[in-house]
């Protein structure tokens, strides 16, 4: 079993968490995964979601298309990871914006 990595937006608010290569929202719903074993994240449907930079999840405007990553299979329910608290403000990297999970 992999550990839990909490993911935040630039304001420091908890927006998601990672278990292994799978990304879940704060309610434990599977929303994405990391198919290429790097920081590139796609939705559960294979569309670009963003990149993980440290403990932040950002969407970059000019990210190159990598092709359809396939479907990894449903990862199951990860359980509630606990509340990580507030991470503090972090400025957005150049060319990035916060991921809006409501748009997914």
């Amino acid at each position: 079993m992999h550990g839990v990595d909490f993911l935040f937006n630039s304001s420091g608010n908890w927006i998601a968490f990672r278990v292994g290569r799978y990304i879940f929202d704060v309610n434990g719903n599977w929303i994405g995964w990391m198919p290429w074993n790097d920081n590139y994240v796609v939705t559960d449907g294979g569309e670009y979601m963003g990149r993980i930079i440290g403990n932040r999840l950002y969407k970059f405007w000019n990210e190159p298309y990598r092709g359809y990553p396939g479907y990894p299979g449903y990862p199951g329910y990860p359980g509630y990871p606990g509340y990580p608290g507030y991470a503090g403000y972090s400025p957005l990297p150049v060319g990035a914006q916060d991921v809006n999970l409501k748009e997914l």
Side-chain angles (χ1 to χ4, degrees):
M1 180 70 180
H2 294 276
V4 172
D5 295 317
F6 295 101
L7 302 172
F8 303 86
N9 63 15
S10 64
S11 297
N13 297 314
W14 176 41
I15 59 168
F17 63 98
R18 172 184 168 197
V19 177
R21 64 183 188 158
Y22 298 101
I23 309 298
F24 300 88
D25 68 14
V26 298
N27 297 312
N29 299 308
W30 177 43
I31 58 171
W33 64 297
M34 302 168 74
W36 292 288
N37 297 318
D38 58 10
N39 64 350
Y40 192 94
V41 180
V42 299
T43 66
D44 55 356
E47 299 292 321
Y48 171 70
M49 179 189 298
R51 279 195 281 151
I52 296 173
I53 307 295
N55 65 352
R56 309 296 168 138
L57 179 58
Y58 298 128
K59 183 174 186 174
F60 286 81
W61 298 315
N62 294 317
E63 195 69 58
Y65 179 66
R66 293 188 178 185
Y68 181 67
Y71 182 76
Y74 180 68
Y77 181 68
Y80 183 68
Y83 178 67
Y86 175 70
Y89 174 76
S90 179
L92 287 166
V94 174
Q97 64 187 34
D98 284 318
V99 172
N100 185 347
L101 297 180
K102 294 177 182 173
E103 291 179 351
L104 301 179

